[in-house]
Amino acid sequence: MGRKYQVGRRFHRVKYLCAAAELAIIWVFHLLYQMLFPQLDPFLLGAGCAAAAALVVFGTLKLVNWCAGHLWYQITDQALQVCRGGRVTAYPWEDFRAAGIDSLNVIARFPVWFQMKDGRRLTLEQYVEGLGSLTLDILAHIEGHAQVSDELRERLKTAQAVSGRQPER
């Protein structure tokens, strides 16, 4: 079995940013309710909003942590194993036909896609720790039979120079 790639620090930073945004939204609703309904008891309104905020943030963090635990990639000798939501899918190395960068996706930091023999397209999750290393490890297995775009090769050279990492075999 090869290395297992899971979501990392970037994912968890976004998780906490989302929780902070939820708190801000609930606080704004609290202010709006205070202005629109001044007859409401301010203590009960504040307590209700605090309870709602705690419930929403706790639920979000639990759900996102569950998602993080059920999203990973693993390199094996026979295939790339992908787990999304508890369902593990194996992509045999011989099924890979092409690899490239999604140049239209300007939000993702390294939007790599792989075209499969049956027409399916696998796009790597952007929050996986070591995304460049994962791509290098996949390319090490498909290099002989899959067509790899020049743009992807150039981006990988940059990623290798920054991280100083070589693909596992």
Side-chain angles (χ1 to χ4, degrees):
M1 286 279 172
R3 181 174 170 196
K4 190 174 193 178
Y5 295 88
Q6 295 180 294
V7 294
R9 292 183 309 252
R10 185 172 180 244
F11 180 81
H12 293 291
R13 275 186 252 143
V14 170
K15 169 181 75 173
Y16 292 120
L17 182 65
C18 289
E22 290 172 343
L23 287 174
I25 290 169
I26 291 173
W27 181 72
V28 167
F29 271 107
H30 176 260
L31 292 177
L32 286 173
Y33 271 93
Q34 274 184 331
M35 289 189 307
L36 294 174
F37 305 106
Q39 69 273 17
L40 292 177
D41 183 12
F43 176 75
L44 288 177
L45 182 61
C49 285
L55 186 64
V56 165
V57 168
F58 177 77
T60 298
L61 293 179
K62 283 298 236 185
L63 176 67
V64 170
N65 284 336
W66 180 87
C67 290
H70 291 83
L71 174 64
W72 50 262
Y73 298 86
Q74 187 158 15
I75 304 289
T76 67
D77 291 336
Q78 298 80 25
L80 170 67
Q81 292 183 342
V82 179
C83 178
R84 289 192 174 133
R87 182 173 167 227
V88 178
T89 306
Y91 294 93
W93 298 122
E94 59 271 3
D95 286 357
F96 285 78
R97 291 295 173 245
I101 295 282
D102 185 359
S103 56
L104 297 178
N105 188 345
V106 294
I107 295 173
R109 64 183 176 148
F110 198 56
V112 180
W113 56 264
F114 297 95
Q115 189 71 40
M116 300 297 147
K117 178 172 60 176
D118 60 3
R120 291 184 296 172
R121 188 170 170 157
L122 171 67
T123 303
L124 298 182
E125 173 58 49
Q126 295 300 302
Y127 293 107
V128 170
E129 193 73 23
L131 184 59
S133 298
L134 172 60
T135 305
L136 282 171
D137 289 344
I138 293 171
L139 290 181
H141 285 88
I142 67 170
E143 194 72 45
H145 65 276
Q147 186 179 29
V148 181
S149 75
D150 292 334
E151 184 182 8
L152 177 57
R153 289 183 196 281
E154 287 302 314
R155 282 232 187 136
L156 283 171
K157 283 181 188 176
T158 305
Q160 281 178 304
V162 170
S163 69
R165 188 183 174 299
Q166 298 298 316
E168 293 178 13
R169 288 249 181 205

